[in-house]
Amino acid sequence: MSHAHTEDQAQSAPHSHKKHYLIIAAILTVVTGIELGIPFLKNVPSIWVPFQPVWVPLLLLLSVGKFGAVVGEFMHLRQDRSIFKILFISPLALALLCLTTVTLMSIVHFEPFGKGYAATAVDLRNGYTPPSDGPKCDPPLPDDQFKAAYAKAEGAGFETGKKIFGEKCVACHGPAGGGMPNLGLNLTDTCYKYGGTFKDLYQTVALGRADGRMPSQAAALKSEEIRQVAYFVRSLRGKNVPGGQPCVGEPAKD
Amino acid sequence: MSAPTAELLEAAPDHGHHQTVENNFLGLPNIKLAMWAFLGSECMFFGSLIGTYFFYHDHSLGGPLPQDVFSLNITSISTFLLLTSSLTMALAVDSMKQNRFPPAVKYILTTAALGAAFVGFQIYEFSEFVLEKHLTPQTSLFGSTFFIMTGFHGAHVTVGVIWLLMMAALISKKKLVPGREATNVEVMGLYWHFVDIVWIVIFTFVYLLEFIK
């Protein structure tokens, strides 16, 4: 654009920035193209593998660049008054700080419901093992020892098991253990989807079932507490509370 | 949205100066100052929605998971649509500043069409997630946080499209306060570009990261 041409135009009309905007848009398109290409590099292990640590930071960097180009050039913030910069950038910084903190929290530890760790679908797909820093579960006791312990718990009115059930299980299995639609199964009928022996019940509580929708309690409860829950659940058999969910699984064999 | 619209409908004497704008004590257009303040608050709004998504999406108790439902094809098209719309929006503001209204209206309508297409792709994506992939806001933490975040973004785009169409009509019918037309379009442009940058963040952090993990 020649200088003479600009002067020919009406004095009040500023000259066009069309060319500048087209260049910015072209750069943004190319950068987006590069971003989109990165996932496809997975198919080229000779490039993907050696530069593995680079991909995520590179993607973030390109994204920040695009963000800056749109705000700085399309929105004119780079050349605009500093009051606009203050108004926009200070809340943005606050938002980024919050975002970073939350992301770090999510990576480092996740305990939304207090003590305990529920296996997630992602964990299970990656081969879930209870966290190593949490308390480990004992293997299930032999059947005769279980029966004796059950009798003892029965004598105490299943006090411990009932209390833990009220804290951890009722959200899905209902206050009386009758189950809830699309959530926990009915524990008061006589059939079991994952087995009704002491050993089965213990393992269900300890390790979780149904891809983690029945979450593992291995880290949240001590082995003895898990046993007490199993005794209480066993005591619900055949109570058939009103409004319970329909029977799922096989009739109990023991 | 209502504030700038009310502003531009308000009758004001034309002193015959070019680019007469309602100034505040800083000598700046009030609506532009208000828009930047609003966009600052929007940063925190979307920051918290994206943060919530990051915090929870990995902790669903059941599928489907992000990698089961996301499609890079649809998202890429949406991204290019919105990126192009930012260019046409910038060109509209540029034309307005040179008092060339007919090309500005053309650019504004193009921007609106691109935005509407983006919303169309999002409706398609959402219905595919719900009907075929069985991901609803009730399914899991991923579902809840994903739909809230992208849904609010889509709602912003929709509001922007309505605003663009109204602005195109007002310019064509010469209903804007003379001298303030360019500022009105510029402020609308700020909103539109902001919606685009939110999508830049969502596209990279939510979609693309899922494919390179």
Side-chain angles (χ1 to χ4, degrees):
Chain A
M1 191 186 301
S2 73
H3 198 253
H5 176 72
T6 318
E7 277 174 350
D8 284 345
Q9 289 175 337
Q11 208 189 355
S12 56
H15 71 95
S16 171
H17 293 91
K18 195 170 176 178
K19 203 173 156 191
H20 176 71
Y21 290 137
L22 285 171
I23 293 169
I24 298 290
I27 294 172
L28 288 173
T29 309
V30 170
V31 171
T32 308
I34 296 172
E35 284 186 327
L36 275 169
I38 293 176
F40 291 98
L41 284 177
K42 260 188 180 170
N43 303 322
V44 191
S46 58
I47 301 173
W48 181 261
V49 177
F51 293 104
Q52 187 102 46
V54 174
W55 303 127
V56 173
L58 178 66
L59 206 56
L60 301 190
L61 204 68
L62 291 174
S63 167
V64 169
K66 281 165 73 183
F67 190 102
V70 174
V71 176
E73 303 301 327
F74 282 166
M75 294 166 89
H76 284 293
L77 192 60
R78 199 166 61 89
Q79 289 168 343
D80 224 326
R81 297 280 293 267
S82 42
I83 178 80
F84 298 136
K85 292 179 187 162
I86 295 167
L87 276 175
F88 185 70
I89 293 172
S90 24
L92 176 66
L94 211 60
L96 284 177
L97 186 71
C98 167
L99 203 63
T100 317
T101 315
V102 159
T103 309
L104 287 177
M105 279 165 70
S106 131
I107 293 168
V108 174
H109 214 163
F110 183 74
E111 288 194 341
F113 309 117
K115 185 169 161 261
Y117 183 98
T120 68
V122 178
D123 294 326
L124 289 152
R125 196 167 284 191
N126 299 337
Y128 171 69
T129 42
S132 53
D133 56 341
K136 299 260 188 344
C137 290
D138 300 339
L141 295 177
D143 244 17
D144 53 330
Q145 286 185 40
F146 251 132
K147 277 179 187 147
Y150 179 83
K152 200 178 158 197
E154 194 172 21
F158 301 107
E159 199 184 325
T160 314
K162 198 188 269 177
K163 183 168 169 287
I164 297 169
F165 189 89
E167 290 165 4
K168 299 250 172 210
C169 316
V170 292
C172 292
H173 289 288
M180 288 168 82
N182 298 320
L183 289 169
L185 297 176
N186 189 347
L187 302 172
T188 66
D189 51 19
T190 51
C191 42
Y192 293 90
K193 191 172 180 185
Y194 302 104
T197 65
F198 287 120
K199 189 182 160 191
D200 294 330
L201 292 173
Y202 176 85
Q203 288 195 326
T204 300
V205 179
L207 301 177
R209 300 279 190 192
D211 288 346
R213 271 175 291 153
M214 159 80 206
S216 160
Q217 302 296 331
L221 300 174
K222 296 189 182 92
S223 298
E224 178 54 26
E225 290 173 324
I226 296 174
R227 266 180 225 125
Q228 294 294 332
V229 176
Y231 302 146
F232 175 67
V233 171
R234 175 67 177 76
S235 78
L236 295 174
R237 181 187 291 179
K239 282 194 172 175
N240 289 311
V241 295
Q245 291 299 302
C247 160
V248 176
E250 303 288 314
K253 292 185 186 76
D254 59 327
Chain B
M1 205 194 105
S2 63
T5 313
E7 167 89 20
L8 57 91
L9 288 170
E10 176 190 302
D14 183 12
H15 301 299
H17 297 302
H18 175 68
Q19 294 285 307
T20 312
V21 284
E22 186 90 312
N23 291 342
N24 75 348
F25 69 99
L26 289 168
L28 300 164
N30 277 334
I31 53 169
K32 194 173 168 186
L33 204 59
M35 180 49 77
W36 276 112
F38 170 67
L39 294 182
S41 75
E42 289 275 272
C43 281
M44 295 194 276
F45 176 73
F46 278 105
S48 54
L49 289 181
I50 296 170
T52 313
Y53 175 81
F54 275 144
F55 194 70
Y56 283 119
H57 82 287
D58 258 359
H59 295 89
S60 301
L61 289 182
L65 300 175
Q67 57 263 44
D68 302 330
V69 296
F70 286 168
S71 149
L72 215 46
N73 297 342
I74 293 176
T75 327
S76 316
I77 297 171
S78 302
T79 301
F80 282 114
L81 285 174
L82 219 50
L83 218 53
T84 314
S85 80
S86 252
L87 171 66
T88 54
M89 187 71 244
L91 293 177
V93 175
D94 194 46
S95 298
M96 287 302 286
K97 284 189 173 165
Q98 298 172 76
N99 285 326
R100 289 168 45 232
F101 291 3
V105 169
K106 199 182 71 188
Y107 284 132
I108 290 174
L109 289 176
T110 314
T111 311
L114 291 165
F118 176 89
V119 176
F121 272 104
Q122 187 171 47
I123 292 169
Y124 172 78
E125 185 194 37
F126 277 16
S127 55
E128 192 192 13
F129 284 6
V130 171
L131 299 175
E132 284 172 32
K133 291 166 175 172
H134 306 292
L135 179 76
T136 71
Q138 289 89 6
T139 309
S140 59
L141 285 172
F142 164 56
S144 309
T145 52
F146 172 80
F147 280 111
I148 291 283
M149 173 185 59
T150 49
F152 263 113
H153 177 261
H156 275 74
V157 179
T158 311
V159 167
V161 169
I162 296 168
W163 192 354
L164 286 159
L165 293 175
M166 282 170 64
M167 188 64 84
L170 288 170
I171 296 171
S172 305
K173 293 185 174 173
K174 301 193 171 20
K175 291 278 170 72
L176 292 173
V177 177
R180 290 198 207 159
E181 296 99 334
T183 310
N184 280 310
V185 175
E186 188 189 354
V187 167
M188 179 177 70
L190 292 179
Y191 174 86
W192 189 261
H193 293 309
F194 179 80
V195 170
D196 183 31
I197 58 173
V198 172
W199 183 253
I200 288 176
V201 175
I202 293 180
F203 171 66
T204 314
F205 287 66
V206 174
Y207 287 88
L208 277 181
L209 273 188
E210 211 58 61
F211 289 93
I212 65 163
K213 264 195 220 166

